[in-house]
Amino acid sequence: MPKLVPNQIIPGNCIDVLAEMPAESVDLIFADPPYNLQLRRALWRPDQSKVEAVNNDWDKFTDFQAYDQFTEIWLNACKRVLKPTGTLWVIGSYHNIHRVGTILQNLGFWTLNEIAWVKELFPGARDYLDVYETFGLVKSGANFGHALHLTEREIDSFRQSGAGISHCPTSNTFIGSGLFKMADLRDNPQPIAVGLATDIGGGTSFSMFDTMKSAYEIAQLQGYSLHPAKAFYLATMGSAKLLQLDGVIGNLAAGYEADIQIIDLKSRPLISERMSHARDIWDVLFAQMIMADDRAVRCVYSGGALIYERDK
């Protein structure tokens, strides 16, 4: 097929047909792949309508690995023919869309407007968080990442349920997905539990120094100053509390697991100079939050055992 002819139907196996099409020639692909939807027992949707199984041979796969291999083949075929500005729409059910989504990410596809996509997948949901609520996942101890574009109803749901949020600042700024509203969500009369996280899948560093610095900068862009006491709390006790481990880790107190970092407050000449002008402990912590990096970690203890020492 040397040239595409518009407004025609091409019957055949989609993988074979795509292989004959010119590379980077298609603007839009709308895919409705097999759902792998064979059921062992009755399944009901949240609205109490019954899910009908698909028992045709074209929807059957020996196992998840076979389904994933098939999915990767047809998605790669789609990627080859899509223009650099092309779009891929994929229809799915609860049974396959998460597997398809994972493979899409592994192949380098970029999901635009995930909120709108989820709204299409779950048209009955009130908003993004309601999808999780439908399955009973929004509750005390639940930990949700990012939370950048919350509606007022979602914010109220976080407050009422006791669910918390992991703020991943380096990921948010690197991807350009939005700014976390620390003042609105945590520092108000009805605070939501918040911890700091790196999200290295989309972020730029495992370092909690980098993470605190980025959280401070994001807050500054919104006219809010993140005090170093709060930043260090969120990186330690706050994150432990978010994970419901605040009686186990995150604090230097009797009975806690001794997971400890010893910080060199003058790890570099520039920081040493800055420290000579520190007025109080908060100024000391602020200098570390903004200027320190992994070189400031003098040693690390895990469960009371020394596992890292910088100068040896």
Side-chain angles (χ1 to χ4, degrees):
M1 189 181 298
K3 184 179 180 181
L4 286 180
V5 179
N7 303 319
Q8 66 168 323
I9 297 175
I10 308 172
N13 182 302
C14 69
I15 296 173
D16 295 336
V17 172
L18 287 168
E20 297 178 1
M21 296 173 65
E24 299 185 357
S25 60
V26 176
D27 293 296
L28 172 66
I29 294 175
F30 185 96
D32 189 7
Y35 294 174
N36 197 24
L37 185 53
Q38 291 79 62
L39 302 178
R40 289 173 291 181
R41 56 183 182 273
L43 179 65
W44 303 88
R45 298 184 181 89
D47 63 1
Q48 298 306 304
S49 60
K50 189 176 181 179
V51 176
E52 298 295 335
V54 180
N55 295 312
N56 306 82
D57 289 341
W58 56 263
D59 195 67
K60 294 180 180 179
F61 295 83
T62 55
D63 51 33
F64 286 133
Q65 182 178 4
Y67 183 81
D68 291 348
Q69 289 174 344
F70 166 78
T71 301
E72 185 171 350
I73 290 171
W74 73 259
L75 283 175
N76 264 319
C78 290
K79 188 175 183 181
R80 188 189 69 82
V81 302
L82 275 174
K83 294 179 181 178
T85 56
T87 299
L88 171 65
W89 293 352
V90 184
I91 297 294
S93 73
Y94 303 152
H95 303 79
N96 75 321
I97 197 62
H98 304 294
R99 307 191 73 85
V100 173
T102 298
I103 297 170
L104 281 167
Q105 289 183 321
N106 290 342
L107 294 178
F109 282 91
W110 182 251
T111 301
L112 294 176
N113 201 340
E114 183 182 351
I115 296 173
W117 186 36
V118 170
K119 190 174 182 66
E120 292 177 1
L121 294 175
F122 302 93
R126 292 170 290 180
D127 43 49
Y128 192 96
L129 188 66
D130 192 40
V131 175
Y132 293 91
E133 290 178 272
T134 299
F135 295 97
L137 298 175
V138 182
K139 55 189 176 182
S140 178
N143 177 16
F144 293 86
H146 309 295
L148 302 180
H149 307 290
L150 298 177
T151 64
E152 286 300 320
R153 195 210 68 81
E154 289 173 307
I155 293 173
D156 185 63
S157 179
F158 270 106
R159 288 172 175 157
Q160 297 299 322
S161 66
I165 300 169
S166 285
H167 176 26
C168 310
T170 68
S171 171
N172 301 155
T173 52
F174 181 74
I175 296 175
S177 48
L179 302 178
F180 183 75
K181 299 174 178 60
M182 181 72 75
D184 294 340
L185 298 176
R186 183 187 180 276
D187 295 336
N188 64 70
Q190 293 181 288
I192 295 170
V194 173
L196 286 182
T198 58
D199 182 24
I200 196 60
T204 57
S205 174
F206 280 124
S207 170
M208 200 50 67
F209 290 120
D210 290 340
T211 302
M212 289 189 291
K213 177 183 177 181
S214 185
Y216 175 84
E217 292 170 341
I218 287 174
Q220 286 289 103
L221 289 172
Q222 301 172 85
Y224 174 74
S225 183
L226 180 62
H227 194 281
K230 291 182 179 178
F232 274 86
Y233 173 84
L234 292 176
T236 54
M237 193 66 179
S239 291
K241 187 174 183 180
L242 177 65
L243 298 173
Q244 296 190 339
L245 293 172
D246 46 315
V248 181
I249 59 174
N251 198 1
L252 291 174
Y256 283 72
E257 294 183 5
D259 297 340
I260 303 168
Q261 275 192 14
I262 307 299
I263 298 173
D264 180 355
L265 298 179
K266 299 179 180 180
S267 56
R268 292 186 291 132
L270 183 60
I271 299 178
S272 181
E273 171 62 24
R274 174 64 180 83
M275 288 294 295
S276 67
H277 301 282
R279 300 180 300 274
D280 51 34
I281 182 60
W282 309 124
D283 209 13
V284 169
L285 291 179
F286 182 74
Q288 304 306 313
M289 179 175 80
I290 301 301
M291 304 175 71
D293 54 28
D294 291 351
R295 289 171 289 182
V297 180
R298 173 164 285 175
C299 55
V300 178
Y301 292 84
S302 178
L306 180 66
I307 61 171
Y308 168 78
E309 194 166 5
R310 184 189 64 188
D311 299 327
K312 286 190 177 180

